[in-house]
C-alpha cells in the first residue's frame, strides 16, 4: 500500500483537480491539474491562533483557486479544439 505522505509535496498536502466531459458519442475529455507547490496540510493549520490560521487558510485558498483557474483554461482550450474539428468537418 502506498504511503500518501510520501506523495505529498514537502511543504504540505497534494491537491489534484480533475474535470471530465463525456460527449454524446461517448468520447471522454479529461484534464487534471495539481496545485503547484501543494497546499497546507491539516497539521499546518493553527486553530489556537486566529491570525496564523487565516494566513494558512489564505495559502490554501489561493492554491485551490489557481488550480481551478488552470483547470478551467485547460478543459476550455480542449473543448475549443473539439469545436474547431467539428467546424472543419462541415466545410
Amino acid at each position: 500500500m502506498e504511503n500518501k505522505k510520501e506523495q505529498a509535496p514537502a511543504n504540505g498536502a497534494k491537491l489534484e483537480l480533475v474535470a471530465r466531459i463525456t460527449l454524446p458519442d461517448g468520447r471522454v475529455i479529461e484534464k487534471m491539474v495539481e496545485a503547484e507547490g501543494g497546499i497546507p496540510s491539516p497539521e499546518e493549520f493553527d486553530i489556537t491562533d486566529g491570525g496564523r490560521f487565516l494566513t494558512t487558510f489564505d495559502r490554501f485558498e489561493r492554491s485551490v483557486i489557481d488550480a481551478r483557474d488552470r483547470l478551467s483554461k485547460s478543459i476550455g482550450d480542449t473543448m475549443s479544439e473539439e469545436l474547431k474539428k467539428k467546424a472543419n468537418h462541415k466545410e
Side-chain angles (χ1 to χ4, degrees):
M1 183 178 236
E2 293 180 28
N3 182 345
K4 297 236 181 230
K5 287 191 175 218
E6 291 177 4
Q7 295 175 353
N11 65 336
K14 181 177 181 179
L15 171 70
E16 297 175 332
L17 298 180
V18 178
R20 181 180 304 118
I21 298 172
T22 304
L23 301 173
D25 64 5
R27 290 181 296 139
V28 175
I29 299 170
E30 185 173 287
K31 296 292 179 178
M32 190 269 298
V33 298
E34 293 182 16
E36 294 183 9
I39 59 172
S41 67
E43 293 80 16
E44 293 179 67
F45 285 88
D46 182 353
I47 60 173
T48 65
D49 182 313
R52 289 191 347 202
F53 175 84
L54 290 175
T55 298
T56 305
F57 186 82
D58 185 59
R59 285 181 26 230
F60 166 80
E61 187 174 44
R62 288 176 188 267
S63 293
V64 171
I65 290 169
D66 176 66
R68 180 209 57 201
D69 291 348
R70 289 185 293 115
L71 180 61
S72 295
K73 180 177 180 347
S74 178
I75 200 80
D77 290 348
T78 301
M79 283 297 291
S80 292
E81 289 300 317
E82 289 296 318
L83 291 171
K84 287 178 188 175
K85 289 178 191 176
K86 181 180 177 181
N88 288 337
H89 286 285
K90 290 194 175 200
E91 292 178 359

